[in-house]
Amino acid sequence: MSEPTVISGPDTMTFSRYDDVTAALADPALVPLPAAPVTPDTPAGVARLRAAVARFSSGEPHARRRALVLADLSRLDPAALRVAAAAGFDPDVRLRVVRVLAAALGLADPEAVARDVATVARSYFADAPDDPEADAAVARLLPAMSGGPERATGEQSDEAADEEQYEASDEEVAANRIGLLVQACDATAALVDRARRHGDGLAGALREDPPVPVMRRLAARATEVGGVAVPAGARVVLDIAAAQTEAPDGVALTFGARPRICPGRSQALAIAEGILFGASDPAAVDDGGPGEVPVAHGLGKTELAALVPEMVDHVLTLAATWTAWGGRPIVNADGRTYTPHKAVRRVADHLLDHLAELDARLAGEPTEPDHWHASNATSPADLAPFTAADLDEARSRLTRLAGIWSRRVAALPDAVLDDSPGTGWSFRRIVGHVAGSGYYADSVGDLSPV
């Protein structure tokens, strides 16, 4: 259980229990800290932007502005976003995230938009923003937000009680499109960064290291949370990271909760998945053989470069016992059939297949589809006796392939390992996947005479 509510000061209260945090998020008396008021004479800048977006508003203005965001999001297909995110490369993940969204929204210069949005993001959440560069970026972004429909008149989602239409000014449309991009910028990049550090990827990061660790609210009127009185005017801090430890499986509080749950959840996850895992469904990339070595996510380059040679050493240690094989195919726990020759074939094919993928992507070329028989077929050659000469050939073949892998990984820049060019998994994840190729040899096992 998390710690109970903490009274942080005369005007601030912190809630960290899951039930309290979800109750606070659903309480209409607790609203986001409002933006500072502006006048028609306030120049275009971060302060004017904050005063016009859904993020810092409540009541009817929030409903109207949220409808604009929902209208934009309805044009963004998560599957297409995942493909676009996988194809891009940029060591600054924030720029990559915004560039993908800006292109999908039909904005004229996604690269320039991404740079300006990243500049705005550094002061967007400040209560009293004072950043001339960010103000200048907002001034450039407002006229650059034309894309898709000439005028985005949004419709409330089924979260609302009716189907009322909302009219908005051109500036409000542009401001909320900027707000969508700014909020995706740091939050989605932080999700990618945490998933790379976490052995369980996105799910583990959302559960144990959420990219939005706290949320803040203001008590518009007196209310009560978890049996604790919250006076009007009090500031409320919601400890999302602590509350998440008590959340049911599949609940990610970093996306908030109704009625203000983040409407871009599926788009954010799709972009993060594209950057982390590529355009394909990871479950469909291989033939159901090796899994992935989770520790690869936290290794330095020297240790990462050693993973494949270590796997090959393990395979060859087992293979040294296979001259005692009696000729009967072995069915493993997954119901797949293996023999010594087939295990060696699959390890070599797997190393070569992903090595060719890595080289093609570094060269900016499309990867060549493989035509291996894989694990689904057992050929007559697979059924042949495994001799000492076969073992020598396996040592030569696999040891050389392992050496190529080790040298290639050691030569890659650190940034390229985690933010890899082309479409597909990150190179770090490919190394972890290939290092799981011992699966094939383990399916045959140690055949030393008993």
Side-chain angles (χ1 to χ4, degrees), residues 35-36 38 42-57 65 116-117 119-121 123-125 129 134-135 137-139 141-142 145 171-183:
V38 297
T42 302
V46 177
R48 191 178 183 94
L49 174 67
R50 282 167 50 91
V53 297
R55 173 66 179 80
F56 303 106
S57 56
R65 294 163 180 173
D116 280 339
V117 166
T119 300
V120 174
S123 59
Y124 181 75
F125 290 100
D135 289 338
V138 171
L141 284 169
L142 284 169
M145 287 297 104
E171 180 179 338
E172 204 168 39
V173 172
N176 281 278
R177 191 166 290 163
I178 296 171
L180 185 160
L181 296 173
V182 170
Q183 290 188 217

Side-chain angles (χ1 to χ4, degrees), residues 161-212:
D162 55 36
E163 297 296 327
E164 180 180 358
Q165 297 284 328
Y166 292 95
E167 290 293 334
S169 68
D170 290 337
E171 180 179 338
E172 204 168 39
V173 172
N176 281 278
R177 191 166 290 163
I178 296 171
L180 185 160
L181 296 173
V182 170
Q183 290 188 217
C185 180
D186 285 341
T188 307
L191 176 57
V192 170
D193 179 64
R194 284 159 169 75
R196 282 175 173 161
R197 300 199 308 259
H198 202 284
D200 289 338
L202 282 171
L206 288 170
R207 184 178 61 250
E208 298 177 18
D209 191 14
V212 180

Side-chain angles (χ1 to χ4, degrees), residues 66 69-74 76-78 81 97 101 159 180-181 183-184 187-188 191 254-256 260-272:
R66 183 181 175 90
V69 176
L70 290 169
D72 271 343
L73 288 170
S74 69
L76 302 179
D77 175 39
L81 292 176
V97 168
L101 286 170
E159 300 163 13
L180 185 160
L181 296 173
Q183 290 188 217
T188 307
L191 176 57
T254 194
F255 294 105
R260 299 180 65 104
I261 192 168
C262 174
R265 181 182 189 276
S266 59
Q267 287 85 358
L269 289 175
I271 292 173

